[in-house]
Each structure stands twice: as C-alpha cells, then as structure tokens.
Amino acid sequence: MSTTPDVYSAEPIPEAARVEIDRLLQSGDLFRYTAEADAPVTLLEQEFAAMMGSRYALAVASCSAALFLSLKALDLPRDAHVLIPAFTFAAVPSAVVHADCLPVLVEVGENYRIDLDDFAAKLTPDIKAIIISHMRGHTSDMKAIMAMADAAGVPVIEDAAHSLGTTWHDRKIGTIGAIGCFSFQSYKLLNAGEGGILITDDADLAARAIIMSGAYEHAWAKHGDMAKRCAHWQNKLPLYNQRLSNLSAAIIRPQLAEVPRRVRDGLANHNYVAEALNQTGILHVPEPLAGERRAPDSIQFNLIGVDDAQANAFATEAATRGVKVQIFGLSADNARAFWNWQFLGSQPDLPRTRAMLMRACDVRLPARLTKAELDAVIAALVGAAHAIAEPARAYGT
Ligand SMILES: *Cc1c(COP(=O)(O)O)cnc(C)c1O
C-alpha cells in the first residue's frame, strides 16, 4: 500500500511564539491598544509593512475584514458597483455586500486569470472600485488591469489573501493596487488560525481604515505618524471593531522569517508536480504569465478532453489512491463556484468561468512536503488519470 501524504496539517508554530504568548498570558495584555507602545499587533504592522515595502499596514480580524474596510475607506456611495473576478472565494462578493456595494462579476479563463476582454467591457462608468483576487496565487495581467483602471480613474484593491510572497515583474503582489489585503487564516502562508492585514501607501486610506477598524477615542495615537491624519477623522466614521488580538500577532510575528523558505519550497514542489502532470496529456497545469513568480501551497490543473462522468471518476480514483482532489465546479456547495453565491440574487451566466470551474482541479501541496511525499501525490494523480483514460484496463480485469 502506498503511503498517503498528509496535505492538510499546518506547520508547527515557531518556538519563539511560546515565550511571547506566556508573557502575554502572565500580563493579560491581549488588547492591541492597552500598552503604551510596542504592542505585538503594532510590531507586526511595522514588520509586515517593512517586509512588503509599504508605508502603512493595519492588522485586522480577517482578510474579509480587510477587504470590507478597504471598500469603506474608499468612501464609496451606497450601491456602488464593484468589479470582482467570477473565480474567487465567496468571502469576496460577501465583503462587497457587507460594504453596501453591488458586485459585478468578470469572466475568468481556463488559466484562472481574469479575461481582459470581459474586464474591459464591464469597466463601465458605473464601476467605482475593482477587487482583483489573485486566486490561489494566480496573478492576472496587472499591467493591463492597472492601465485600464488608471485610465478610468477607478481604484484597485488587491485580494492577496492567498498570494503572500508572489511577485509580478519583481513587484510584490499586494503593493500594485491602492490597497493590498492578506489573510492569516490557517490555510494561508502565515497561520494564526484567523487574522488579516491591509497595506497601502495612501495615508488617507490608512487613516480611515484605522479609525473604522476600531481605533476609538484616541487609540489611533498609537499608529505612529498616522496620528495626525486619524485625528482629522475622529468621530466622523463608524467603528466596525475588526481588530486583531495581541495573541494572534504573537503567533504570526515569528513566522515572518519563514516566508522566503515557504515561498521557495512551495514553488519548487509545485513545479516538480506540474512537470509530471503535464506529461499525462490529460492533466494540464496552465503556464505562469511572463513576469509572474508564484508562492504556491497548492496546485491547480485542468482535466483535458473528459466529460463530467470522467471528471468525477478521476476524483474518485485519486481519492482511492490517497489524494483528495477538489474539482471546483463539481464538488457540492463549493464556495468558489459563483453559482453557489445565491445571496447575490440572480446574476448573468459566465460561461467561460463555468467551463473552467467544471474541469479545474485543486490539490493542496504544502511547502513542507518531502520528495517522497510529492512522488506519492504524483503517483496517485497520474494513476487516476491513466485509470479514466483506459477504462478497459482499469476496470476490465
Ligand atoms: C482565504 C481567502 C479569503 C478570505 O480570507 P479570510 O481571512 O478567511 O477572511 C479571501 N480571498 C481569497 C482569495 C482567499 O483565498
């Protein structure tokens, strides 16, 4: 029997977190605004901003909260239309709804990137903001998107929840648009269970987001050189209280040093598996865009020349061999299939995105996997592909 690699467990949290958590438990100082200075959340913001080369960072409860606060910081009118990709996590249209805006869904191609023709067609004068989800780290053509957005005068928010460490022509993903949002949920590159952070170079957007995240009374005075900007917004904005706890920051901070290793190993693992899958002729991993350097902790590939029954059979065969494959459009109630976002009401169909989702497979591939474990994943996926391609041989004896 082949060994089945565990692709779900997270890496252990670095030992250094324990000392800091013990200190916090001793003092009971868990709220970010109690200490006079140097609270763990404040230090995390400073370190994250420095790592990304951004002027401001605001740590919050989740990436969803970061997206919501970004839209609020932009001061969009009620019912403003916000362009989002049709291939994203349900949290993204949800953040738009939460901010009293209306999402407009853009087609995504078989390479998981935004369809630029559909983007151009839907970037009408009604559109007041754009959220670009770099889904699973797949970066859309940010040069073309920023050119169109800038020409239209529409701000871009980057949903980089799952793209920390990805670069686009040597620029860090999340630093290209007006605001970048990241997640610290357990399946992302930095794991605190829950949490998120937004980064921006725009002082006014940062100040507004700081106040609305819950820097009430004069707590914003602890945001360093943002204090003066924040003072301007005192009592003028709602307080949505989406703050991060010191405990979460203490868990994230020692992981920042792990980012380069996780990025390097994740990419090497991905490319090793991709090469083997592409040789099957049935499983196809789309090429990265020129200038894109991803930081994957999972692999996506399309099933070529198969029908729904064969696609389902592939997932079953892979599961039998110990690897769970999720086909976005074929797994029940998938949160990344736009037709399941019934809370949006009726939406126009998006045939291109739909076709992609019906054949796009998702397999977790954490950076910590060994070569033997990667080989076991490859054997399972390639074996499953051969089984559905040659049913006579697979089922005949
Ligand atoms: C995980 C994820 C989110 C949501 O992040 P939370 O921190 O759980 O709110 C949003 N967008 C994408 C692309 C994600 O992968």
Side-chain angles (χ1 to χ4, degrees):
M1 240 190 75
S2 66
T3 52
T4 326
D6 165 16
V7 297
Y8 287 96
S9 303
E11 288 186 21
I13 304 301
E15 190 62 31
R18 273 171 212 272
V19 179
E20 177 68 350
I21 287 168
D22 254 357
R23 188 185 70 80
L24 291 170
L25 295 186
Q26 278 297 325
S27 65
D29 182 11
L30 307 184
F31 182 54
R32 69 163 297 171
Y33 290 125
T34 306
E36 266 320 305
D38 293 341
V41 176
T42 304
L43 295 175
L44 169 65
E45 288 170 347
Q46 291 168 0
E47 290 159 359
F48 197 88
M51 177 175 86
M52 300 304 289
S54 297
R55 286 173 70 190
Y56 312 108
L58 174 67
V60 291
S62 65
C63 183
S64 299
L67 292 166
F68 162 73
L69 289 168
S70 299
L71 291 166
K72 283 291 177 190
L74 288 170
D75 198 20
L76 304 176
R78 183 172 282 271
D79 293 339
H81 289 199
V82 177
L83 217 50
I84 68 169
F87 176 42
T88 186
F89 186 51
V92 174
S94 303
V96 176
V97 170
H98 189 190
D100 294 318
C101 297
L102 300 171
V104 175
L105 276 47
V106 179
E107 287 269 37
V108 170
E110 39 292 305
N111 66 352
Y112 322 128
R113 273 85 177 182
I114 288 169
D115 177 327
L116 293 178
D117 290 337
D118 199 47
F119 182 89
K122 286 179 175 153
L123 184 53
T124 61
D126 286 352
I127 301 295
K128 301 299 177 214
I130 297 165
I131 299 180
I132 300 295
S133 277
H134 305 292
M135 246 327 241
R136 293 286 195 273
H138 297 284
T139 304
S140 290
D141 184 342
M142 289 306 287
K143 193 167 169 229
I145 286 170
M146 291 309 297
M148 285 189 262
D150 289 346
V154 178
V156 171
I157 299 167
E158 286 183 86
D159 166 20
H162 212 147
S163 296
L164 182 61
T166 301
T167 56
W168 168 256
H169 292 281
D170 295 328
R171 286 187 68 181
K172 293 188 169 72
I173 283 299
T175 65
I176 298 171
I179 308 181
C181 301
F182 299 84
S183 175
F184 301 134
Q185 186 265 344
S186 287
Y187 287 153
K188 318 296 164 115
L189 201 82
L190 295 172
N191 165 26
E194 302 284 1
I197 198 162
L198 66 84
I199 54 173
T200 182
D201 287 342
D202 184 315
D204 219 40
L205 288 179
R208 292 170 55 81
I210 288 168
I211 298 262
M212 287 190 278
S213 74
Y216 61 95
E217 292 165 355
H218 291 191
W220 41 256
K222 291 172 179 163
H223 282 270
D225 59 1
M226 285 308 299
K228 220 173 128 208
R229 282 291 179 144
C230 291
H232 171 75
W233 294 106
Q234 176 69 50
N235 297 341
K236 297 194 180 79
L237 296 169
L239 302 164
Y240 294 107
N241 286 6
Q242 301 285 347
R243 295 171 304 254
L244 192 74
S245 141
N246 278 340
L247 279 178
S248 302
I251 289 171
I252 298 160
R253 289 183 59 219
Q255 292 180 59
L256 295 178
E258 306 289 320
V259 169
R261 193 253 317 153
R262 290 180 186 173
V263 169
R264 184 187 66 231
D265 293 354
L267 185 60
N269 288 354
H270 174 276
N271 291 349
Y272 179 69
V273 175
E275 201 178 310
L277 301 192
N278 281 336
Q279 279 162 21
T280 60
I282 300 168
L283 313 179
H284 180 249
V285 181
E287 285 286 303
L289 298 190
E292 175 191 20
R293 190 172 182 278
R294 289 181 53 216
D297 59 7
S298 63
I299 189 164
Q300 289 71 45
F301 53 90
N302 296 325
L303 295 166
I304 306 296
V306 305
D307 59 21
D308 281 2
Q310 285 171 304
N312 279 320
F314 171 76
T316 306
E317 288 286 343
T320 306
R321 291 163 170 81
V323 172
K324 188 164 174 282
V325 175
Q326 174 180 254
I327 302 174
F328 293 108
L330 288 173
S331 67
D333 297 324
N334 193 297
R336 297 150 208 88
F338 63 85
W339 54 87
N340 288 329
W341 305 337
Q342 292 172 23
F343 53 87
L344 294 182
S346 94
Q347 291 285 318
D349 195 23
L350 296 135
R352 209 171 162 206
T353 311
R354 180 182 289 273
M356 177 275 284
L357 290 167
M358 296 306 276
R359 294 295 175 267
C361 302
D362 190 26
V363 174
R364 282 179 54 77
L365 216 55
R368 63 173 166 72
L369 293 190
T370 62
K371 179 154 181 306
E373 289 171 321
L374 296 171
D375 286 335
V377 171
I378 290 171
L381 295 176
V382 171
H386 290 157
I388 61 156
E390 299 171 55
R393 206 169 78 190
Y395 300 110
T397 53

